[in-house]
Amino acid sequence: MATMRAVQVTRPNGSFEVVERRIPEAAEGSLRIQVQACGICHSDALTRQGTYPGMVHPRVPGHEVAGVVDAVGRGVTGWEPGQKVGVGWNGGYCGHCDPCRRGDFFACVTGQVTGITSDGGYADYLIAPASAVARLPADLAPAEAAPLMCAGLTTFNALRNSAARPGDVAAVLGLGGLGHLGVQYAAKMGFHAVAIARGKDKEPLARKLGASVYIDSQAQDPAAELLKLGGAKVILATATSGEAMSAVQGGLAVHGTLLVVGAAPTMQVSPVWLLAGCRSIKGWYSGTSIDIQDTLAFSARTGVRPMIETFPLERASEAFDRMMSGKARFRVVLTMGR
Ligand SMILES: [Zn+2]
Ligand SMILES: [Zn+2]
């Protein structure tokens, strides 16, 4: 029996266990992917805690997967072994439910999530429905490509679907795993990129990533500073602090949007400020496989790269703790040694 390494969580709040498992077969409609690297995302905590509705253990986490097609299941067209591919949070969609029929594939009623409703990328191999798989450019290293599957996709897709146009002020709140990518995308998309974070010490990094203005939210009022620039057409809120989001909303231009991708539990909203300027607050889901493909192609072409710390697969537990500590600069990636 051919086996592989996998890191699984056996029960809610259990530890990460490195186990030997049988290499799974590619089911009908699916691909088997040999994993080369898998990013560790904060949402992997849902797999560990078992708090995602309906999820069952044991489960292998991981939804920032970069690898190569290893086997193609029956009924799959357009894919062949050896192709460089990636898989993100969206674990596929049915194509025939009402949201899918409206083109909202991300909202498919089957609700498939990589590493939550099916085993993810903390392993040598995973099985993914063909609808969940993205093609990767040849010239991106797997460990650099992996964080773009979720952190990169989320920020790229949110910004490109915002109302901001080249030259408009696009502010990125937070300079962590998502934010350090968001600033790069905002600059490469031709926006007037503004980075907002806590502390003067982050300014050199923000500028290196492409921010033309840096706002230290500890020393300055971020809303007032944005209004000095004419107001932000979009503020991409990557921080997970509701207070930080509330503090920047006053910096929105007329028709500006606070675009929320950080999972803060609550935030204060000023209804009068919203209605007086036709401003809005909107959430953004990351995206599907074709959006990943666009994210990776754009990143390869424009030089957007994540800053990463890599750990071998066996050290997944340590790597996860490093991510949770908030000290990683900026995304933690597991590598499989191939
Ligand atoms: Zn994620
Ligand atoms: Zn569907």
Side-chain angles (χ1 to χ4, degrees):
M1 180 177 86
T3 60
M4 65 171 191
R5 299 168 301 168
V7 177
Q8 67 179 24
V9 181
T10 312
R11 56 186 163 75
N13 295 312
S15 56
F16 290 108
E17 299 166 14
V18 182
V19 294
E20 286 278 310
R21 279 191 178 192
R22 178 194 218 120
I23 296 176
E25 296 297 327
E28 184 167 3
S30 296
L31 303 175
R32 182 168 68 204
I33 296 165
Q34 186 180 47
V35 183
Q36 293 173 309
C38 184
I40 296 185
C41 180
H42 198 274
S43 304
D44 295 345
L46 298 172
T47 307
R48 183 171 208 181
Q49 295 156 358
T51 43
Y52 194 88
M55 82 157 286
V56 290
H57 289 99
R59 184 59 76 217
V60 176
H63 59 266
E64 289 189 337
V65 183
V68 294
V69 176
D70 176 66
V72 178
R74 268 197 310 127
V76 174
T77 54
W79 298 98
E80 55 191 65
Q83 285 175 317
K84 288 188 68 166
V85 292
V87 181
W89 172 265
N90 186 283
Y93 45 84
C94 74
H96 48 74
C97 70
D98 282 0
C100 282
R101 290 172 67 199
R102 293 182 202 284
D104 293 324
F105 300 106
F106 75 90
C108 178
V109 299
T110 63
Q112 300 167 71
V113 182
T114 312
I116 288 185
T117 62
S118 62
D119 285 330
Y122 290 21
D124 285 316
Y125 296 87
L126 92 161
I127 304 297
S131 60
V133 180
R135 280 187 186 80
L136 301 194
D139 51 352
L140 268 185
E144 287 192 322
L148 302 178
M149 308 296 163
C150 181
L153 163 68
T154 300
T155 50
F156 174 81
N157 210 26
L159 284 171
R160 73 168 175 168
N161 282 290
S162 76
R165 296 186 297 178
D168 287 345
V169 173
V172 177
L173 172 64
L175 206 53
L178 269 67
H180 89 289
L181 289 163
V183 171
Q184 294 180 66
Y185 288 126
K188 295 292 186 187
M189 287 176 183
F191 302 138
H192 182 177
V194 177
I196 307 169
R198 289 152 56 91
K200 191 75 187 159
D201 55 318
K202 300 209 179 74
E203 176 160 4
L205 171 69
R207 292 198 180 274
K208 197 182 112 198
L209 296 171
S212 41
V213 174
Y214 177 75
I215 299 172
D216 170 7
S217 61
Q218 282 177 324
Q220 297 166 289
D221 173 357
E225 295 302 315
L226 287 173
L227 291 179
K228 282 183 200 166
L229 302 171
K233 197 63 189 278
V234 61
I235 302 174
L236 182 66
T238 71
T240 49
S241 155
E243 293 84 65
M245 292 185 197
S246 301
V248 297
Q249 62 182 320
L252 288 172
V254 168
H255 293 296
T257 301
L258 178 65
L259 204 45
V260 177
V261 294
T266 59
M267 69 169 285
Q268 290 280 332
V269 174
S270 168
V272 174
W273 177 247
L274 291 183
L275 65 89
C278 291
R279 300 176 179 89
S280 57
I281 297 176
K282 181 177 160 69
W284 188 264
Y285 175 91
S286 64
T288 57
S289 55
I290 192 68
D291 300 311
I292 291 178
Q293 214 164 292
D294 293 346
T295 302
L296 272 288
F298 183 92
S299 304
R301 209 160 45 233
T302 61
V304 173
R305 297 289 186 278
M307 293 167 69
I308 58 171
E309 297 179 5
T310 60
F311 288 75
L313 178 65
E314 285 83 359
R315 287 167 63 195
S317 184
E318 185 189 337
F320 182 83
D321 291 344
R322 174 74 181 157
M323 180 280 299
M324 290 298 276
S325 76
K327 291 183 187 134
R329 292 290 172 268
F330 281 99
R331 290 298 270 192
V332 178
V333 179
L334 298 174
T335 55
M336 313 307 157
R338 59 169 72 87

